[in-house]
Each structure stands twice: as structure tokens, then as C-alpha cells.
Amino acid sequence: MNQQHLLALGRYHPVVIEGMGGFDSRDPRPVAASIAQRLRGHWQKKPTDKPKLIVIQGDPLEERGISAITPLVAAALGTSRGLVCLDEAIADYHAPNADRNNVILEVRYSQLAEILNHHRPDTLQRLEARVDRAISEKNHQRSALGKPPLKSYFRDFALLQEVTKAACHQLCGGITVAHTAREIHPFSVTSFYTIGIELGLVKADDLLSYSSAETSP
């Protein structure tokens, strides 16, 4: 992957939006308007001089859910998007299926993992161990409910989510994270967001919860 894109990423303030995929039944437009409003309010209280960049994580374009919401937020804020995908050796289908509309730079998971390990060599190992523990705990909960274990790809995408945020925070000197729903399903990839906060890789006050009561000005 182009190393210049990685250097370019450092010149932005990354904005990562996390939430449900295409099974989100809500109209993405009011959801995006609410998120954009919260982001504007957050940056009034916590300003940054860097231009904003919506950082997406390879979701294919759908009519609903996260891949429909992020381009609407980008349009509302007048920002471009950056793309992080899993390496082909991890998931060969991920990068080819990613939505690249309004994407101005693209990097791979391994590049961001390298940033983390350069700063502190055990960071990725700590993240992997914590994700593995969370999966074990969730599978125990699912077993008690008579549900099958989480699919194996949950580990890859939970790590993609947390490495993306941690590395962006490290590389760019800050980050903003916004959720698309107030209630986070305990068995969703989004639910792993607590790990980065627990490990001190993302700050709790950089995370914006969602409120459907808000509307765009």
C-alpha cells in the first residue's frame, strides 16, 4: 500500500463512526444528521486545528447501516473519507468489496498495527489478548442463552476496529469516535469498543454516544 497515504493520514483529525451494518432498519439520513450535529458540538468544546477525515473500515455500500451513514456524515461536514482494510492474507474479499466513494487515502491493517508496535512493541499483543478474552466471555454468555459461538471473523473485525482507532490516535495526535446507536448490542463488533478505552489507547471523552432526539440545525 502507498506509504504516502499513511503519512498523509497523520495530517488529519480522524473521525471513526461505529455501528450496525445493513441490518440497521433505520433511515440513515436522520441518523447521520444527528451524528453530524453532535460532532459539531463536540468540536466547539474540544477544537482541533487539523482538517477532519471520516475514517471508514471497508464496509461495502448498502442502503442502510454504517456504510450508508458515513458518506452522509461526510457530506454534512464537508469532509473526505479515508479507508482502512484488512490485508489480503487475513480476508481477501475485504478490500475489493469496500466502498471507495469520496475516499482520498487508503491504508491496510498491518500498516496501522506497525504504528502501534513502533510506539510500544507489546500493544498489538495486548489488544489481541484482550479481544480473545472478550470473545471467550461473549461465547460463554451466548452458550448460556442457547446461542452458537460468534463467527470466527469477529476477531479480525474487532481487531481492525480497535487497531484503527488506536493507531489513528497515535499517528494523528487525537481522534473522535461516534456511535450510530445509543444501545450497543453485546454480541456486535461495535461492543468491543470498550477494549481500546480500557487499555488507554482511546480516551473516553473522545467517544460520542448517540441521541435520536437531536436533529440537524
Side-chain angles (χ1 to χ4, degrees), residues 68-127:
I69 292 167
T70 54
L72 294 172
V73 175
L77 298 175
T79 64
S80 297
R81 302 196 296 167
L83 173 64
V84 183
C85 286
L86 290 168
D87 296 74
E88 284 73 8
I90 301 174
D92 58 6
Y93 61 86
H94 193 229
N97 292 331
D99 173 31
R100 288 177 170 80
N101 182 46
N102 191 27
V103 168
I104 61 171
L105 59 86
E106 180 175 344
V107 298
R108 288 291 183 265
Y109 169 82
S110 60
Q111 292 178 286
L112 297 184
E114 186 176 342
I115 288 174
L116 287 184
N117 280 337
H118 179 74
H119 175 65
R120 182 172 173 176
D122 67 340
T123 301
L124 184 59
Q125 183 180 5
R126 292 165 62 222
L127 262 176

Side-chain angles (χ1 to χ4, degrees), residues 155-177:
R155 184 179 192 272
D156 295 332
F157 287 99
L159 284 169
L160 174 66
Q161 175 180 279
E162 295 312 302
V163 166
T164 294
K165 291 182 293 184
C168 283
H169 186 278
Q170 178 65 37
L171 180 65
C172 305
I175 192 172
T176 301
V177 181

